[in-house]
Amino acid sequence: MGTPEGRRTQRVRDPVHGLIVFEGGDDLDQLAWSLVNTPEFQRLRRIRQLGVSEFVFPGATHTRFAHSIGVFHTARKLIGIIEREMARIGEKADDRRAEVAVIAALIHDLGHGPLSHTFEGVQKSRGVKKRHELWTAEIIRNPNGSIGPLLERFWKRGDFCEEVASLLEAGDPRDIYHAVVSSSFDADRLDYLRRDRLMTGTGAGAIDFDWLMEHVRVGKVPIEAPDPEEDEQLVPTFCLDGKARAAAEQFLLARYTLNEQVYLHKTTRCVEHMIAKLLRSVARHCERPETASDMAGLPLTHPLVAFFGYRPDLEKDAAARAEKERAALTYYLLLDDMAIMGSLDEMRRAKDAVIADLARRLQERRLYKTLDLGYFGQDEGTQKKHARRIERTFADQIKAETVLRDEEATISIYTQIGGDDERTHKKLHIFDAEEPKEITLLSPLVETLKDKKTYTRYYFEVESDRDAARTPQRKP
């Protein structure tokens, strides 16, 4: 027998999950397949999941396209767990919310800019204070885009698009379906932990995925009320039963290890800071398009020139600001890793010496030289003493950005790159005597890693400056 309306079953081979199937007879699967084939989703083929990590791990060239399909596949598994748990406690699953959660999981990364979270920081420094979640919601709601019309047609009442966008930009969860896209055990991290470990080739960071999935339960945990005078609210989220405690420890240790060895690798962070410096310099020239071509080396038609040339935040008139925001979205969707890294050869010919030098360095992998304060030992007081010395000795270079300072490389057992690791629903809970408890209350191993650890690093344009900073002058 054929599938309804002759729709074919589609299959994707994935290195993490094996065969991912979009069933021809399943309306939700076919909507997902249609979304995958939109220009907005196909753009994710040109945005790498780990940004510039390939400078350290040559195999880390996997994309947000592959990751997003993996998240979709994992979200369907989590929905199956919700259905199982609802039946166990005698409650009915909400099929409509399940559909929203699965599609939200698929398209959760549409709003990512090029070079991962580096571009977000550059935007912020130029007045565009919009995280990728908000870009995603804007792309979904865009009446001139491809995503919104597909979503609107899925439900007869026509509010599916708004439900998906609202779920993705929501802060605190309101039901268990929100946990599919935002929790300590959401589909996003269940995919990227396995995918990033595989593609970087690191031996650390393995998780017992099947055992964890077998022991996921639904429990209610308190979250802080928006108003301090209000009582805490209990919200449902994914928890684990006691049998999975060892696997839960392994899961969190895997996250910690990947943060330490991959996401916050000192060379990766150095490249990110160099690219951020490059893009900030380009952005300054793009605000005057008449000089951007010569000074930044880019044609006026380049999406970077167009994007940074539009400053909605400077418009006082609401209508003019809205018009510029629509234009900015159009140019934002033209930006991807290839648009930037493929323009380095043009930027090498820029009249701005900083842009030309950075473009040349990135092409040839001639990176700034790194000094991690851990070089002087792990004592916090000793590190602060050397930081003060470096800040004093190289004050002019730091101001001129020939020495770049990195004080944002922070990890703890709950750290999520670019995310919020302080919220209760993002922490892992284990059932103990029928009550979900945060894992640090049950595991001495995890409890030792709950405090944040910050790496302070300096990146020196001139190698001799790094050597001088590493070897302080002794007083006679």
Side-chain angles (χ1 to χ4, degrees):
M1 293 179 62
T3 56
E5 301 177 8
R7 298 180 303 187
R8 293 191 304 120
T9 294
Q10 305 290 345
R11 298 172 179 85
V12 173
R13 288 193 180 274
D14 183 77
V16 177
H17 304 288
L19 208 60
I20 298 177
V21 180
F22 297 77
E23 294 287 353
D26 187 294
D27 290 340
L28 191 68
D29 279 13
Q30 288 301 295
L31 170 63
W33 186 251
S34 296
L35 291 166
V36 166
N37 286 288
T38 60
E40 293 91 334
F41 200 96
Q42 291 292 315
R43 168 179 171 269
L44 298 182
R45 290 184 184 274
R46 303 185 296 279
I47 297 180
R48 289 180 175 167
Q49 173 72 11
L50 290 183
V52 296
S53 284
E54 65 163 319
F55 276 75
V56 182
F57 306 96
T61 57
H62 55 300
T63 64
R64 292 196 178 272
F65 179 89
H67 163 65
S68 296
I69 293 177
V71 175
F72 164 76
H73 179 70
T74 306
R76 291 189 299 190
K77 290 180 178 289
L78 291 174
I79 291 299
I81 288 171
I82 292 173
E83 292 173 349
R84 180 193 74 197
E85 288 296 291
M86 293 296 101
R88 187 176 62 84
I89 62 177
E91 293 187 13
K92 182 174 173 52
D94 188 334
D95 293 339
R96 294 174 75 84
R97 285 291 287 171
E99 291 173 340
V100 170
V102 168
I103 295 302
L106 175 69
I107 60 178
H108 77 288
D109 266 355
L110 286 182
H112 258 289
L115 304 171
S116 195
H117 298 281
T118 301
F119 195 77
E120 249 177 44
V122 174
Q123 287 183 83
K124 187 176 181 181
S125 72
R126 307 310 300 164
V128 184
K129 299 176 182 179
K130 192 183 296 186
R131 290 175 61 85
H132 74 270
E133 293 91 348
L134 296 180
W135 279 115
T136 298
E138 193 170 329
I139 291 167
I140 291 170
R141 294 188 177 109
N142 180 15
N144 299 316
S146 304
I147 302 294
L150 286 172
L151 298 181
E152 282 299 306
R153 291 196 295 269
F154 187 66
W155 283 353
K156 289 184 179 179
R157 71 186 193 192
D159 55 354
F160 189 62
C161 178
E162 184 57 34
E163 287 282 333
V164 172
S166 297
L167 181 65
L168 287 171
E169 65 184 356
D172 292 326
R174 77 171 193 250
D175 60 20
I176 186 58
Y177 297 96
H178 186 278
V180 173
V181 296
S182 181
S183 69
S184 65
F185 208 70
D186 59 38
D188 180 28
R189 71 194 67 201
L190 284 172
D191 181 83
Y192 77 66
L193 285 175
R194 302 169 74 199
R195 190 174 301 276
D196 294 351
R197 177 179 181 269
L198 174 67
M199 303 308 289
T200 56
T202 179
I207 65 174
D208 193 345
F209 179 77
D210 292 335
W211 189 254
L212 287 169
M213 295 296 279
E214 180 67 21
H215 292 281
V216 176
R217 302 289 180 262
V218 173
K220 291 187 176 182
V221 301
I223 61 169
E224 299 79 5
D227 187 338
E229 296 183 0
E230 295 180 3
D231 294 332
E232 289 183 329
Q233 301 173 331
L234 288 176
V235 298
T237 192
F238 292 121
C239 304
L240 294 165
D241 69 28
K243 293 180 181 179
R245 177 174 146 181
E249 292 173 336
Q250 187 181 34
F251 173 69
L252 289 177
L253 287 172
R255 287 172 54 181
Y256 191 94
T257 302
L258 282 171
N259 272 286
E260 188 174 48
Q261 297 185 9
V262 177
Y263 308 140
L264 298 180
H265 191 284
K266 64 180 183 179
T267 304
T268 300
R269 294 287 292 181
C270 177
V271 177
E272 288 173 347
H273 279 270
M274 290 176 67
I275 288 176
K277 178 183 174 180
L278 170 69
L279 292 178
R280 286 195 301 271
S281 299
V282 169
R284 283 193 291 270
H285 293 301
C286 290
E287 290 176 8
R288 297 182 62 196
E290 65 274 12
T291 64
S293 182
D294 286 339
M295 296 304 295
L298 297 173
L300 294 178
T301 55
H302 195 281
L304 272 176
V305 178
F307 178 76
F308 284 120
Y310 277 82
R311 292 291 301 273
D313 58 300
L314 299 180
E315 291 289 347
K316 295 182 180 180
D317 179 71
R321 186 167 58 250
E323 179 60 32
K324 280 200 171 182
E325 285 177 348
R326 283 191 291 271
L329 176 62
T330 299
Y331 295 121
Y332 186 80
L333 287 170
L334 295 175
L335 290 169
D336 53 48
D337 291 11
M338 292 184 180
I340 293 177
M341 301 305 284
S343 299
L344 291 178
D345 193 57
E346 293 173 295
M347 287 189 262
R348 286 180 66 154
R349 294 188 284 274
K351 288 186 177 179
D352 186 315
V354 171
I355 293 174
D357 178 62
L358 285 166
R360 187 177 298 109
R361 283 174 174 270
L362 290 167
Q363 273 196 322
E364 299 172 3
R365 202 187 181 277
R366 293 191 297 106
L367 308 180
Y368 285 14
K369 298 302 179 182
T370 301
L371 175 59
D372 190 314
L373 291 186
Y375 172 82
F376 301 106
Q378 297 306 310
D379 178 70
E380 185 177 343
T382 300
Q383 290 190 9
K384 286 183 177 180
K385 180 185 72 173
H386 284 284
R388 289 192 295 270
R389 173 180 59 81
I390 292 169
E391 295 284 334
R392 182 175 60 253
T393 305
F394 295 94
D396 291 342
Q397 291 93 325
I398 291 172
K399 184 177 180 180
E401 290 194 302
T402 57
V403 175
L404 304 176
R405 179 174 47 203
D406 182 5
E407 298 176 300
E408 299 176 355
T410 301
I411 65 171
S412 75
I413 200 67
Y414 284 119
T415 298
Q416 180 188 14
I417 292 297
D420 182 357
D421 58 5
E422 295 297 330
R423 304 164 86 175
T424 304
H425 74 282
K426 291 291 186 75
K427 297 183 177 181
L428 195 57
H429 292 74
I430 306 286
F431 273 103
D432 180 59
E434 301 301 316
E435 178 186 353
K437 293 182 180 178
E438 200 269 320
I439 192 172
T440 58
L441 301 175
L442 302 173
S443 170
L445 173 64
V446 176
E447 201 273 339
T448 61
L449 296 173
K450 72 177 183 180
D451 293 332
K452 289 184 176 180
K453 177 181 179 181
T454 299
Y455 299 92
T456 301
R457 294 157 176 164
Y458 294 88
Y459 309 110
F460 294 80
E461 180 180 303
V462 180
E463 185 172 1
S464 60
D465 284 346
R466 191 278 308 271
D467 294 341
R470 198 161 55 180
T471 310
Q473 296 291 320
R474 285 193 171 92
K475 293 181 180 180

